[in-house]
Amino acid sequence: MTSRRTLRSYVVALVAGLLAETTSSIHASDTVALEAVVESVRTRIAATFSGPAFDRLPPGSVEALLDPSEHRALATGHLRFRLDRPARLYVFRDSRLAEDDEPFWLRSSGFAPTPLTARAYQLAFDAWTKDVPAGEIGLGVHALRRYREHYFVVVASRDGHSVPTVTPLGTPAPAIDVFRVGAAPWVDRGSTLEEIPTTLAGLPLVRTFSDRRAVASLYDWFRSTDHPAETAPDQIVATFGGDPTRRVAVAWRTAPGVERALLELSSADEPTFVPRIHESTTDRIDAPRTLNQPAVLRHTVVLSDLRPDTRYTYRVGTTGGPWSTPRTFRTAPETPREIRFLAFGDVQERYDRFVPLLRRALEHVPEPDFVVFAGDLVSRGNDTDDWDAFFAALDAVPLPAPLLPAIGNHELLPGDAPDLYRRLFALPTNGPDSLEPERAYFLDYAGVRLVVLDSNTDGGQTPWLERLLAAPRATPRAPALAIAHHGAYTSRPGRYFPRVREQWAPLFEAHGVPLVIQGHDHAYLRTVPFGTPGTTYLIATAGGKFYPQAHHAYAARAFADTATFQIVTASPHAGRVTLETRDADGRILDSATLPPSH
């Protein structure tokens, strides 16, 4: 194992040797493919450091593994554009990155700090400047260690008169705009600049990609889990696998080596019911980044021959091996009736705060028909260790009913698909044909239609949603409810989601959807009703992560810094929904009848 002193000496020598090269030119034409460099370095890290040793690496340790060409690629191969004349660049970085001296190349490439600052997304950005020649310019990766928000660039003249022309290069290429209040510094995010230095107003703004801020993730690429799998089953979760009157899926986890995973099903509601043993299908999930758990087994049984409105008891285990404690679920009735369920916004992190909230929710509603999660169940949706923490919370407070999850933006991090999410849950596959199965789906439960959307994409969901909302339902007044992670009417300042607001909200309101359950903004907001008879949009959060909240004229009730659970009651006969919001102490913070009486 290389000592810290040796690593530090190596870094000093490396930077000194590269300083002349990186400060004299930041042209990127001779760099190798950035993706190949990152993959090569990750492979070297895995072969060089053990898990515990990697957790203790001091700053500069990863940089010490880079050869000169790799260092140059990471320092110049991320953001590219061409200038028609010499210029003065200003790199605005998230000021929170100062504690980790990121981007790592900024200072060594000759950029110097300035007193200039800007604000976007309610965050401060400090400006670093450097004079550069005309021609092709290459800037480095956003960060190796902590990512925060992606830097953006302003291009100024060196003589104070002739403003350079900026031509985007590379794939994906940046976009060019005018540096002004209200401009969006990121191509793929609607957040805008709130404050800028007046001395730079009107100059070219090089807009970067927020989703590419972790493209060179090195220091936190490898993970470890606090909840490794064992032979005994855990992470047991039931979902509706299709028709909720007859079809429920149960999934669970074990360590590799379990040869035959089984589910035993019984029912006290059916005196003649003979307990049945069902053999699972098993999926091996490889997680090479999780150093202390590189693989697990995920077992699933889809129960498809159930009776409506019947309580079942089940347990999972193996032949001759450990079995879980029994759990229960109830299938949906075939005829319309009032339903009652629990709903949560983002959990994402601080599961220690979510557990008492969930426990309190089940004290108030011990037998919900199902439990809704409006996306961002975890923070890193394709990392098994994050899901391990989420399921550990559910193991601590087992759900007595099936789970209805929606996909949030953290279930598919930048550049990823929600593959792990789809492998962990067995969900209905009745979404639009143009979208991967299980990303969007719907249920008709006791006469109430529930539509679960993936608000990260359209994927053909808009015409599909319109057909679902326009279709006849069980009774003339039976409501349809929707779950979509991103808000049509947001809580946090500076956010706007055109797909939800401009494409889906008009459909909700035209078809009288009384309640749309959302998350994403890590605060609480219930809107006034929109349309006739009235659609109310609800934003809530369930973990320990909170965002500031702006004043909005459309808010009927709003507050911040509080995790809540929602009790929702829906009647297919009265066509009405009631909402009750409580905190972890059980106190009522909000209540409403939807649509409101006139």
Side-chain angles (χ1 to χ4, degrees):
M1 180 68 185
T2 307
S3 70
R4 292 190 179 192
R5 178 176 299 178
T6 303
L7 285 168
R8 193 175 297 112
S9 300
Y10 187 96
V11 171
V12 171
L14 176 65
V15 172
L18 292 169
L19 190 58
E21 180 179 6
T22 58
T23 56
S24 63
S25 172
I26 52 174
H27 290 248
S29 57
D30 59 347
T31 58
V32 297
L34 185 62
E35 292 78 5
V37 169
V38 172
E39 184 61 31
S40 174
V41 177
R42 286 172 181 164
T43 301
R44 201 175 313 146
I45 289 170
T48 304
F49 301 107
S50 66
F54 189 81
D55 288 342
R56 296 190 297 269
L57 285 182
S61 304
V62 169
E63 291 89 322
L65 297 176
L66 307 177
D67 65 32
S69 66
E70 291 169 334
H71 188 285
R72 185 168 57 252
L74 293 174
T76 66
H78 177 62
L79 178 69
R80 297 173 54 208
F81 50 91
R82 180 177 288 110
L83 301 173
D84 68 339
R85 66 198 67 189
R88 178 164 295 164
L89 301 185
Y90 290 88
V91 173
F92 284 84
R93 68 160 186 188
D94 187 332
S95 60
R96 296 174 296 175
L97 290 174
E99 60 185 288
D100 293 295
D101 204 22
E102 296 273 22
F104 81 97
W105 49 268
L106 197 60
R107 196 182 303 272
S108 63
S109 293
F111 282 87
T114 76
L116 301 178
T117 61
R119 287 190 65 83
Y121 206 40
Q122 302 88 54
L123 298 170
F125 290 76
D126 52 34
W128 293 62
T129 189
K130 178 185 175 181
D131 289 344
V132 297
E136 187 175 325
I137 302 298
L139 300 180
V141 296
H142 174 68
L144 302 178
R145 180 181 295 272
R146 294 185 189 272
Y147 304 101
R148 305 300 187 182
E149 300 302 327
H150 203 295
Y151 68 81
F152 50 91
V153 181
V154 174
V155 179
S157 66
R158 286 170 62 171
D159 58 15
H161 300 290
S162 51
V163 177
T165 298
V166 185
T167 303
L169 300 173
T171 304
I176 311 302
D177 199 353
V178 175
F179 191 51
R180 55 183 170 81
V181 171
W186 302 292
V187 175
D188 52 349
R189 180 178 286 184
S191 303
T192 59
L193 291 161
E194 300 148 7
E195 299 175 14
I196 66 169
T198 57
T199 55
L200 302 182
L203 295 173
L205 166 67
V206 182
R207 303 171 63 209
T208 54
F209 287 85
S210 175
D211 281 357
R212 286 179 57 78
R213 60 189 183 275
V215 70
S217 171
L218 294 176
Y219 277 94
D220 68 348
W221 181 250
F222 295 96
R223 321 295 311 171
S224 61
T225 179
D226 295 329
H227 309 280
E230 300 177 353
T231 302
D234 66 356
Q235 300 191 0
I236 304 165
V237 62
T239 55
F240 291 117
D243 177 1
T245 65
R246 302 180 183 278
R247 192 177 178 90
V248 169
V250 177
W252 68 98
R253 178 189 76 158
T254 67
V258 173
E259 296 182 356
R260 190 166 178 244
L262 307 171
L263 180 147
E264 182 185 67
L265 184 71
S266 60
S267 175
D269 283 4
E270 297 183 62
T272 60
F273 187 92
V274 177
R276 306 170 189 165
I277 296 293
H278 298 261
E279 190 158 352
S280 76
T281 58
T282 296
D283 181 20
R284 178 187 172 94
I285 296 176
D286 291 311
R289 291 173 55 187
T290 306
L291 296 173
N292 63 336
Q293 182 182 269
V296 298
L297 298 182
R298 192 75 180 172
H299 312 283
T300 304
V301 170
V302 179
L303 303 165
S304 56
D305 55 351
L306 305 174
R307 290 181 55 181
D309 201 15
T310 302
R311 179 177 298 282
Y312 290 91
T313 300
Y314 67 95
R315 61 177 187 152
V316 297
T318 59
T319 302
W323 286 79
S324 69
T325 56
R327 301 192 182 198
T328 63
F329 64 82
R330 179 181 288 277
T331 52
E334 287 186 302
T335 56
R337 69 156 169 83
E338 183 177 272
I339 67 171
R340 198 179 195 206
F341 63 91
L342 293 168
F344 297 92
D346 302 41
V347 183
Q348 193 174 338
E349 55 188 47
R350 293 303 306 270
Y351 298 102
D352 58 321
R353 294 191 179 185
F354 171 64
V355 166
L357 184 75
L358 177 58
R359 184 173 288 115
R360 184 71 69 181
L362 291 173
E363 289 174 1
H364 284 272
V365 187
E367 296 183 2
D369 287 304
F370 46 85
V371 179
V372 166
F373 284 86
D376 280 9
L377 288 69
V378 297
S379 187
R380 292 172 282 100
N382 279 328
D383 286 331
T384 56
D385 65 297
D386 237 26
W387 286 105
D388 293 347
F390 171 77
F391 281 115
L394 295 192
D395 286 340
V397 190
L399 296 180
L403 184 152
L404 257 69
I407 291 181
N409 56 296
H410 281 266
E411 270 70 64
L412 67 169
L413 289 181
D416 291 338
D419 294 338
L420 186 53
Y421 171 92
R422 295 173 61 232
R423 295 172 75 179
L424 293 174
F425 300 109
L427 300 170
T429 57
N430 55 10
D433 293 338
S434 53
L435 189 66
E436 295 168 290
E438 302 174 280
R439 293 184 65 161
Y441 58 96
F442 77 95
L443 296 174
D444 287 326
Y445 191 104
V448 177
R449 174 155 290 181
L450 297 113
V451 184
V452 181
L453 296 153
D454 179 358
S455 54
N456 296 284
T457 182
D458 184 83
Q461 290 177 92
T462 299
W464 173 79
L465 173 64
E466 186 168 22
R467 288 194 300 271
L468 286 177
L469 297 181
R473 293 194 276 278
T475 70
R477 302 184 69 182
L481 308 180
I483 301 104
H485 179 66
H486 297 84
Y489 294 89
T490 60
S491 164
R492 189 177 181 182
R495 292 206 198 227
Y496 185 79
F497 303 106
R499 180 181 304 108
V500 186
R501 179 75 164 266
E502 299 170 15
Q503 294 176 226
W504 296 351
L507 297 179
F508 298 146
E509 294 158 24
H511 294 282
V513 174
L515 179 64
V516 180
I517 301 170
Q518 305 161 122
H520 194 57
D521 278 354
H522 294 267
Y524 183 86
L525 185 143
R526 173 174 59 84
T527 71
V528 299
F530 289 86
T532 302
T535 296
T536 293
Y537 300 88
L538 172 76
I539 290 170
T541 188
K545 178 181 178 181
F546 305 113
Y547 286 156
Q549 187 176 71
H551 171 75
H552 296 289
Y554 50 70
R557 180 79 170 100
F559 50 84
D561 302 324
T562 305
T564 64
F565 64 90
Q566 285 60 235
I567 302 170
V568 182
T569 305
S571 168
H573 296 292
R576 198 166 297 282
V577 173
T578 61
L579 169 70
E580 186 176 280
T581 294
R582 295 177 180 258
D583 65 11
D585 293 324
R587 294 173 297 194
I588 296 179
L589 304 181
D590 188 24
S591 62
T593 299
L594 314 170
S597 300
H598 295 287

